[in-house]
Amino acid sequence: MIVDCAIYQDGRRTEGPQDLSDALDLCRRRDDAFVWIGLYEPTEKEFDQVTEEFALHPLAVEDALKAHQRPKLEVYDDSLFMVLKPVGYEPQSDVVSSGEVMVFVGDSFVVTVRHGEEAPLQAVRHRLEEDPEMLRQGPTAVLYTIADAVVDHYVDVAGELGTDLEELEAEVFSPTVGGSRHTASRIYNFKRQVLEFRRATGPLAPPLARLAGTGTLGARVPFVHDEAQPFFRDVSDHLTRVNESVEGLDRLVSDILAAHLAQMSVRQNDDMRKISAWAAMAAVPTMIAGVYGMNFDHMPELTWRWSYPVLITVMAVLEVLLYRLFKRRGWL
């Protein structure tokens, strides 16, 4: 559905024709005007009119309707198409959720298509409407502001993930909780959330580098003013820091998982040593009692009056010696 449709002239929102074709014709007749249409999870039928009026490329339209795209930047004859994946993080459930924002940029228009509940664009629109100087830059300003808002939220999410990872690290190395059988599943779940976050931030680096003029091709991107490149470089720098943080989080959570498994192995070895020590202590009296439980007729000790107390004393002495030996070696 169409969430908002507005004409901006000289950095100000103005009233204009309700018909998309008339609105686009009006904006193309003026150098300081453009139309911005915002849609939320549109159906194919709802998007047909927009596709026809703005001559959007069918491949880009297909991506915008189906969603589930990687962040990317594609240039067509009549428009620029960019995909961003805003993310959200729920600290209580340790879940990273992602949405999608598709942006079509043309000579006098911007079409935004949003999927999912993350990063509503209403705040971005209000931010731009309060900054007429930025809005005078036209569709380029809209593309920059959306990218800036998405990447700024990446920074917040990376900080929250870092805080939760510190808590998880403290839990793993806690002498009381570190051996919990739920710890490994929590670490693995956290790693999956970092991976989900990485899928949103990693692929976005080349498109932003291209918009900033620092990409491998180094070519100018159509429908984007050259004066906007410093702004996109700033966003690209923020994204680089986010990607470095994500890389660090991924490595650290892998190290924490390895440390937890090592701790569990050490504790299991300690348990096995204790079990082995007690088994050895139980084996000595069992062996002695087994010898005298064979009921042979000719056993010289059977007729000796002090046989029983002597054997009990020998068993007790051997048990004490074994206990002290295992205790000194840390087995008990």
Side-chain angles (χ1 to χ4, degrees), residues 137 140 144 211-212 224-233:
Q137 303 301 318
T140 301
Y144 157 72
L211 289 170
V224 176
H225 298 310
D226 293 338
E227 294 80 2
Q229 288 185 349
F231 296 95
F232 283 110
R233 279 200 294 270

Coordinates of all heavy atoms in Angstrom, one line a residue, residues 137 140 144 211-212 224-233:
Q137 N 18.8 19.1 -2.2 CA 19.7 18.3 -3.0 C 18.9 17.2 -3.8 O 19.5 16.5 -4.6 CB 20.7 17.5 -2.1 CG 21.5 18.5 -1.3 CD 22.3 19.4 -2.1 OE1 22.9 19.1 -3.1 NE2 22.4 20.7 -1.7
T140 N 18.9 12.5 -4.3 CA 20.1 12.1 -3.7 C 20.1 12.2 -2.2 O 20.6 11.4 -1.5 CB 21.3 12.9 -4.3 OG1 21.4 12.8 -5.7 CG2 22.6 12.5 -3.6
Y144 N 20.7 9.3 0.6 CA 21.7 9.4 1.6 C 21.1 9.3 3.0 O 21.7 8.6 3.9 CB 22.5 10.7 1.5 CG 23.1 11.2 2.7 CD1 24.3 10.5 3.2 CD2 22.6 12.2 3.5 CE1 24.8 10.9 4.4 CE2 23.1 12.6 4.7 CZ 24.3 12.0 5.1 OH 24.9 12.3 6.3
L211 N 28.9 4.5 -4.2 CA 28.2 5.8 -4.1 C 29.2 6.9 -3.6 O 29.1 8.1 -3.9 CB 27.0 5.7 -3.2 CG 25.8 4.9 -3.7 CD1 24.8 4.7 -2.6 CD2 25.2 5.7 -4.8
A212 N 30.2 6.5 -2.8 CA 31.1 7.4 -2.2 C 32.3 7.7 -3.2 O 33.1 8.6 -2.9 CB 31.7 6.9 -0.9
V224 N 23.0 10.5 -9.0 CA 23.5 10.9 -7.7 C 24.5 12.0 -7.9 O 25.4 11.9 -8.7 CB 24.3 9.7 -7.0 CG1 24.9 10.2 -5.7 CG2 23.3 8.6 -6.7
H225 N 24.3 13.2 -7.2 CA 25.2 14.3 -7.4 C 26.6 14.0 -6.9 O 26.8 13.3 -5.8 CB 24.6 15.5 -6.6 CG 23.3 16.0 -7.1 ND1 23.0 16.2 -8.4 CD2 22.1 16.2 -6.4 CE1 21.7 16.6 -8.5 NE2 21.2 16.6 -7.3
D226 N 27.6 14.5 -7.6 CA 29.0 14.4 -7.1 C 29.2 15.0 -5.8 O 30.1 14.6 -5.0 CB 29.9 15.0 -8.2 CG 29.9 14.2 -9.5 OD1 29.5 13.0 -9.5 OD2 30.2 14.8 -10.5
E227 N 28.4 16.1 -5.5 CA 28.6 16.8 -4.2 C 28.2 15.9 -3.0 O 28.6 16.2 -1.9 CB 27.8 18.1 -4.2 CG 28.3 19.2 -5.2 CD 27.8 18.9 -6.6 OE1 27.0 17.9 -6.8 OE2 28.1 19.7 -7.5
A228 N 27.5 14.9 -3.3 CA 27.0 14.0 -2.2 C 28.0 12.9 -1.8 O 27.8 12.2 -0.8 CB 25.7 13.3 -2.6
Q229 N 29.1 12.8 -2.6 CA 30.1 11.7 -2.3 C 30.7 11.8 -1.0 O 30.9 10.8 -0.3 CB 31.2 11.7 -3.4 CG 30.7 11.2 -4.8 CD 31.8 11.1 -5.8 OE1 32.9 11.6 -5.6 NE2 31.5 10.4 -6.9
P230 N 31.0 13.0 -0.4 CA 31.6 13.1 0.9 C 30.6 12.6 2.0 O 31.0 12.0 3.0 CB 31.9 14.6 1.1 CG 32.1 15.1 -0.3 CD 31.1 14.3 -1.1
F231 N 29.3 12.8 1.8 CA 28.3 12.3 2.7 C 28.2 10.8 2.7 O 28.2 10.1 3.7 CB 26.9 12.9 2.4 CG 26.9 14.4 2.6 CD1 27.1 15.2 1.5 CD2 26.6 15.0 3.8 CE1 27.0 16.6 1.6 CE2 26.5 16.3 4.0 CZ 26.7 17.2 2.9
F232 N 28.3 10.2 1.5 CA 28.3 8.8 1.4 C 29.6 8.2 1.9 O 29.6 7.1 2.4 CB 28.0 8.3 -0.1 CG 26.6 8.5 -0.5 CD1 26.2 9.4 -1.4 CD2 25.6 7.6 0.0 CE1 24.9 9.5 -1.9 CE2 24.3 7.7 -0.4 CZ 24.0 8.7 -1.3
R233 N 30.7 8.9 1.8 CA 31.9 8.4 2.4 C 31.8 8.3 3.9 O 32.4 7.4 4.5 CB 33.1 9.3 2.0 CG 33.6 9.0 0.6 CD 35.1 9.6 0.4 NE 35.1 11.0 0.4 CZ 34.9 11.8 -0.6 NH1 34.8 11.2 -1.8 NH2 35.0 13.1 -0.5

